[in-house]
Amino acid sequence: MDWLNLYGVFLVLLLLIPNILAGIMDRDSMVQRYHNRTAEILEQLGRYGCMLLMAVHFGTRAPGTAYLALGTLIAALYWLGWALLWKERSLRRALVLSVLPTLLFLESGLVTASVPLCLCGVLFGVCHIFISVKSV
């Protein structure tokens, strides 16, 4: 099972947990106030592409200690952002909670030398940050 990246699965789960909790505990925090069909579709393609490519190893380098350490640090900062900005509806919150997952996806692609993951990370990041900022 050399194709399965358990580190990547772990990091994706770390990103999903606060989003799931927010969706359960505070539905208003998950409401998207800006709608642009093209940006939304591209964001979802990037998001699910990143999650799939983090779980399935396609890079030229195997994920290792640096991958897990950097990814865990970014995920911890993401959790801290959720904790500190829980009820805030601001540009600061939008940027923190959209830039950090983008950094995680890009870091994962760069460390494993996965061009498809880097491309999906850029697609996700541009669209996610754009939608998040416009939704404030």
Side-chain angles (χ1 to χ4, degrees):
M1 292 219 313
D2 289 340
W3 58 271
L4 183 63
N5 177 4
L6 292 177
Y7 292 159
V9 171
F10 171 73
L11 294 172
V12 167
L13 289 174
L14 283 179
L15 282 184
L16 290 175
I17 291 169
N19 286 288
I20 292 168
L21 293 174
I24 292 169
M25 297 170 64
D26 183 12
R27 290 192 182 271
D28 287 342
S29 72
M30 303 304 282
V31 172
Q32 185 175 301
R33 288 162 177 75
Y34 175 78
H35 297 284
N36 177 320
R37 185 106 170 112
T38 303
E40 291 169 4
I41 290 169
L42 292 173
E43 177 197 25
Q44 294 305 317
L45 287 171
R47 176 189 320 268
Y48 294 113
C50 286
M51 292 192 307
L52 173 69
L53 293 168
M54 283 185 67
V56 178
H57 178 65
F58 285 116
T60 58
R61 286 182 255 155
T65 306
Y67 174 89
L68 186 60
L70 287 170
T72 303
L73 174 64
I74 295 168
L77 291 171
Y78 184 69
W79 278 59
L80 182 63
W82 267 111
L84 295 176
L85 306 171
W86 178 254
K87 293 290 182 182
E88 190 173 305
R89 303 290 185 261
S90 66
L91 180 60
R92 176 174 61 169
R93 179 181 188 240
L95 287 172
V96 167
L97 299 180
S98 59
V99 168
L100 287 171
T102 301
L103 287 177
L104 177 64
F105 294 143
L106 291 174
E107 174 269 334
S108 296
L110 291 171
V111 170
T112 61
S114 173
V115 173
L117 180 52
C118 288
L119 294 174
C120 284
V122 169
L123 179 63
F124 167 77
V126 168
C127 294
H128 188 57
I129 293 166
F130 173 76
I131 291 169
S132 296
V133 167
K134 290 289 207 173
S135 291
V136 174

